Amino acid sequence: GGGIYALSAQPNSTVDGNWLFNMGAGAGGGAYYPDQSSAYWTISNNVFSNASFCSDDCEWLHVWQDSIHDIDIVNSYVDTTTYENNGIDVTMENTVVVEEGQDWPQEAKDIMDNAGV
């Protein structure tokens, strides 16, 4: 599964300003999981933290097949380098990986503060 899961084309849709954390273990999936034939949307300004909470398969992004296409992922703040991007025209810009013990950038803190958690 995924923290945020979507299926099929969703023209002009956005996933913006979310904070996903403490995701449990599971087979397959990731924090952001656009599934089969997902297309034409933007994932932006999101945080995935506490990836170490997972015991396996802690991808921050799970684009597992080439039927997934034309998705832009912008301004992601994560604490794991693990992701999968097998899509077509799936772009990733400004992914900031925060190492263990490192402070989160202010932009990520602002997203977390405003996420409603």
Side-chain angles (χ1 to χ4, degrees):
I4 294 179
Y5 175 90
L7 181 64
S8 198
Q10 300 182 32
N12 302 314
S13 295
T14 60
V15 174
D16 187 85
N18 298 282
W19 177 24
L20 303 178
F21 59 96
N22 291 354
M23 287 187 55
Y32 309 101
Y33 187 168
D35 206 352
Q36 298 175 13
S37 299
S38 288
Y40 310 118
W41 47 291
T42 301
I43 301 170
S44 60
N45 304 307
N46 294 289
V47 176
F48 175 45
S49 67
N50 293 342
S52 61
F53 188 78
C54 301
S55 61
D56 65 2
D57 199 15
C58 296
E59 296 175 342
W60 71 267
L61 176 67
H62 186 73
V63 177
W64 66 286
Q65 63 170 264
D66 65 7
S67 73
I68 303 161
H69 60 94
D70 297 292
I71 297 175
D72 297 318
I73 300 118
V74 183
N75 300 332
S76 300
Y77 302 91
V78 300
D79 63 357
T80 179
T81 58
T82 306
Y83 70 92
E84 188 170 355
N85 184 357
N86 294 317
I88 296 173
D89 293 327
V90 175
T91 61
M92 297 170 28
E93 292 180 33
N94 194 34
T95 301
V96 177
V97 178
V98 177
E99 302 291 332
E100 186 175 342
Q102 183 181 10
D103 200 21
W104 288 89
Q106 187 60 50
E107 296 87 349
K109 290 179 183 180
D110 291 344
I111 292 167
M112 290 185 264
D113 288 343
N114 293 316
V117 176

